[in-house]
Amino acid sequence: MSRTLLETDGPEWVRKGIITAEQHQQLLALYPEDQRAVGLLPLLGSLLLGLSALSIVAANWQGLPEWLRLLLLLGSMGGAYAGGEYFLQRKNESLGIGLIGLGLILFGCGIILTSQMYQLIGYDAPGLLAWALAGTALTYLYRSRTIFVLMAAIGGIVQGYSTGQLGTFSYLTAALTVVGLGYYWWRHPNALLGTVLATGLLWQAGLLIGHLHAKITWFFIPAMLIYAVGDWQTDRAAGRALQTPPLAAAFLFTLGLALYGEADTYAGMLRPPFLAYIGALLGVFALSLWGKYRRGRPGSATDWLLLLPGFYLHGGLALAIATLVVLYAYSGTVLWRAHQENNPDRVTLGTILFIITTMVAYFKLTWAFMDKSLFFLVGGVLLLGMSWYLRRKNAQSLSSKQPE
């Protein structure tokens, strides 16, 4: 229950005699006014002030003597950390964490600018790694979601800079993200942090695949390993949040295979060595199934439908149709599970996936030979009709499971 629900539906409950007006007020007292929006203002203000100071310094950087540059870097960073501690001691957490985060950003800027001043840029990017290490340490020290998100972004920036500018993949940064942030999330499960962590790890996995010039399908081995970790998490909401980015990537990949898999040259670019890939995928699959069994969630094993390696088949219309069948099966299982769990949000998700799959199938099977005006007319009618039908069926199904 939330305050918003009490404020919107509470008066109706009082009118129907479900609760008294006094009980309504007592319930409202249990959920005080949300101050998060107001609490963000100091954080945004400190960031804007920091950016303003940085822009002024950057514009005049080359004209400053070295001792003044170092003094500015150390002074601004030390001032931000000291200010953060000052406000945290006075229970102003939003402003305090905002300044600590600003200090972390200034620390990274200081590393880059100092490296440029003394031409210390190395091929293993030790300075950037120190930035990521500092971010991880601050995450544990302050146990802040803001610092966690900032650290995930720093890990992605460091890895992007290493692969893009230095031509090397920083395995230490990846390990720091996996072990440092992963262990923190495991001990402090949270849905938002799960999504952020999975997105950051997928970004680094994608950079690794590109750096190694490996087949893109190898991306799904670390991606589904992240998914499997979510199966072992006891907090269902946090585990599901960790699994959402890998599933989204797998769905988009399968959607692309349905659209372009007809060309065998495209499917050929996706095929890694069969035994090595299938062996690794089955290993991750077994780990995921074990976790689902231990946590009592075997029904979610249908998520693995998206990982069926159809790209090993010869390209052509048969492959495209087989991939569409997989997409229909997956979206159908999402809807089925949503109705079993009586979960309106997942019903909406399953409906959207089903409609997207239908539109891809319609485009794939009719675009080449159908008159374009008729194509859009029939497509629009099909989309509207399906949307109405699925919404009606979903509403009927959910209402039938409501308690009397």
Side-chain angles (χ1 to χ4, degrees):
M1 186 177 292
S2 67
R3 185 179 179 88
T4 303
L5 179 65
L6 287 171
E7 289 176 341
T8 54
D9 293 358
E12 182 67 14
W13 299 343
V14 174
R15 190 183 65 78
K16 291 181 177 179
I18 300 174
I19 58 175
T20 65
E22 291 75 17
Q23 290 172 330
H24 183 219
Q25 293 302 318
Q26 290 173 352
L27 287 171
L28 284 173
L30 295 176
Y31 300 88
E33 290 281 0
D34 194 351
Q35 298 295 326
R36 283 180 298 178
V38 177
L40 286 175
L41 292 179
L43 175 62
L44 294 175
S46 62
L47 287 175
L48 290 176
L49 286 173
L51 290 174
S52 172
L54 282 175
S55 63
I56 294 173
V57 172
N60 302 281
W61 186 254
Q62 295 300 330
L64 299 176
E66 285 186 3
W67 67 268
L68 185 55
R69 298 183 198 178
L70 289 174
L71 187 63
L72 283 173
L73 290 174
L74 294 175
S76 57
M77 183 180 65
Y81 282 134
E85 277 294 329
Y86 175 83
F87 285 106
L88 285 176
Q89 293 294 327
R90 281 151 184 77
K91 310 299 181 185
N92 193 339
E93 187 173 349
S94 297
L95 183 55
I97 291 297
L99 288 173
I100 295 294
L102 179 62
L104 181 59
I105 294 173
L106 291 172
F107 178 61
C109 294
I111 290 173
I112 296 171
L113 292 173
T114 305
S115 299
Q116 290 178 348
M117 284 168 55
Y118 297 103
Q119 299 181 348
L120 296 178
I121 296 177
Y123 289 101
D124 54 354
L128 295 177
L129 181 61
W131 190 17
L133 188 60
T136 305
L138 290 179
T139 301
Y140 281 87
L141 182 62
Y142 291 101
R143 298 184 179 183
S144 163
R145 290 188 297 178
T146 302
I147 301 295
F148 184 101
V149 173
L150 196 55
M151 170 51 205
I154 289 172
I157 292 171
V158 170
Q159 203 63 266
Y161 184 79
S162 295
T163 54
Q165 299 298 320
L166 304 179
T168 182
F169 184 83
S170 175
Y171 291 95
L172 289 175
T173 300
L176 200 59
T177 307
V178 172
V179 178
L181 294 189
Y183 183 72
Y184 181 90
W185 172 82
W186 186 264
R187 295 297 304 271
H188 307 89
N190 178 276
L192 171 64
L193 299 189
T195 302
V196 170
L197 176 62
T199 304
L201 290 175
L202 290 182
W203 166 252
Q204 295 200 37
L207 291 174
L208 176 61
I209 298 300
H211 174 71
L212 297 176
H213 302 289
K215 299 285 188 183
I216 190 174
T217 35
W218 279 113
F219 169 81
F220 290 103
I221 300 301
M224 294 312 290
L225 195 56
I226 296 168
Y227 172 92
V229 172
D231 283 324
W232 285 87
Q233 175 56 261
T234 54
D235 187 311
R236 183 53 181 149
R240 198 64 193 172
L242 188 78
Q243 293 175 326
T244 298
L247 283 179
F251 184 83
L252 291 174
F253 172 79
T254 310
L255 210 60
L257 189 62
L259 282 170
Y260 305 110
E262 194 173 353
D264 194 55
T265 52
Y266 173 75
M269 293 189 297
L270 306 175
R271 296 170 186 147
F274 182 80
L275 290 179
Y277 180 76
I278 295 299
L281 194 63
L282 286 177
V284 179
F285 179 55
L287 180 65
S288 172
L289 279 186
W290 188 15
K292 292 179 188 297
Y293 174 76
R294 293 291 301 272
R295 303 302 182 208
R297 309 161 188 158
S300 59
T302 53
D303 289 342
W304 279 87
L305 284 171
L306 294 174
L307 275 299
L308 289 174
F311 46 82
Y312 281 109
L313 303 174
H314 286 294
L317 187 60
L319 173 58
I321 292 176
T323 309
L324 286 171
V325 171
V326 169
L327 287 171
Y328 271 121
Y330 174 71
S331 54
T333 57
V334 170
L335 273 173
W336 175 74
R337 284 162 46 201
H339 285 297
Q340 292 295 314
E341 299 168 1
N342 200 23
N343 187 330
D345 293 335
R346 291 190 63 77
V347 167
T348 302
L349 173 65
T351 302
I352 292 173
L353 296 179
F354 195 87
I355 290 175
I356 290 175
T357 303
T358 300
M359 293 312 298
V360 169
Y362 175 71
F363 177 85
K364 186 69 183 177
L365 301 177
T366 62
W367 176 262
F369 62 87
M370 185 179 283
D371 180 79
K372 296 304 175 281
S373 58
L374 184 61
F375 172 88
F376 290 116
L377 175 63
V378 175
V381 172
L382 178 65
L383 185 61
L384 291 173
M386 183 173 295
S387 175
W388 170 80
Y389 177 76
L390 288 175
R391 286 178 180 277
R392 184 168 178 270
K393 293 295 293 182
N394 293 338
Q396 290 176 345
S397 176
L398 292 175
S399 62
S400 67
K401 295 186 178 182
Q402 294 292 329
E404 296 293 339

